[in-house]
Amino acid sequence: METNEILRALEQGWHRGDGAAFAAPFAEDVTFIDVLGRVQQGRSVVANEHQKLFDTIYRGSKWRIRVEQTRNLSDSVVVLDWTRD
């Protein structure tokens, strides 16, 4: 999956309010740092934590991802510094 496809999948998961769909593009062993600086370990944790948000304070919310910086660490690892619009 290309970087832009991953970003669109994240947006679509968010727009549907679907934690599992939002987390699907991440590796099973992802380390995800949320907007509050909390570290979430693992895709299932990211999915569950986002579902809690989608069911409550972010219900019905929409956003677009804006990439600030991209770093290719290898052929299969990309680090994105991104923010929401």
Side-chain angles (χ1 to χ4, degrees), residues 41-54:
Q41 294 288 340
R43 183 188 306 142
S44 63
V45 173
V46 173
N48 290 336
E49 292 302 311
H50 278 80
Q51 193 60 58
K52 290 176 191 175
L53 295 172
F54 298 150

Side-chain angles (χ1 to χ4, degrees), residues 18-60:
D18 183 338
F22 177 83
F26 294 111
E28 187 66 39
D29 63 347
V30 65
T31 299
F32 183 92
I33 302 170
D34 70 17
V35 69
L36 298 176
R38 296 176 297 194
V39 177
Q40 299 173 13
Q41 294 288 340
R43 183 188 306 142
S44 63
V45 173
V46 173
N48 290 336
E49 292 302 311
H50 278 80
Q51 193 60 58
K52 290 176 191 175
L53 295 172
F54 298 150
D55 290 344
T56 58
I57 63 173
Y58 289 140
R59 177 174 292 174

Side-chain angles (χ1 to χ4, degrees), residues 9-25:
L10 293 171
E11 286 179 351
Q12 290 170 1
W14 187 289
H15 294 169
R16 289 195 315 261
D18 183 338
F22 177 83

Side-chain angles (χ1 to χ4, degrees), residues 2-4 6 10 33 35 39 47 64 69 72 76 83-84:
E2 295 292 322
T3 302
N4 285 334
I6 293 169
L10 293 171
I33 302 170
V35 69
V39 177
R64 291 199 47 86
Q69 181 179 18
N72 293 313
S76 61
T83 188
R84 319 183 297 237

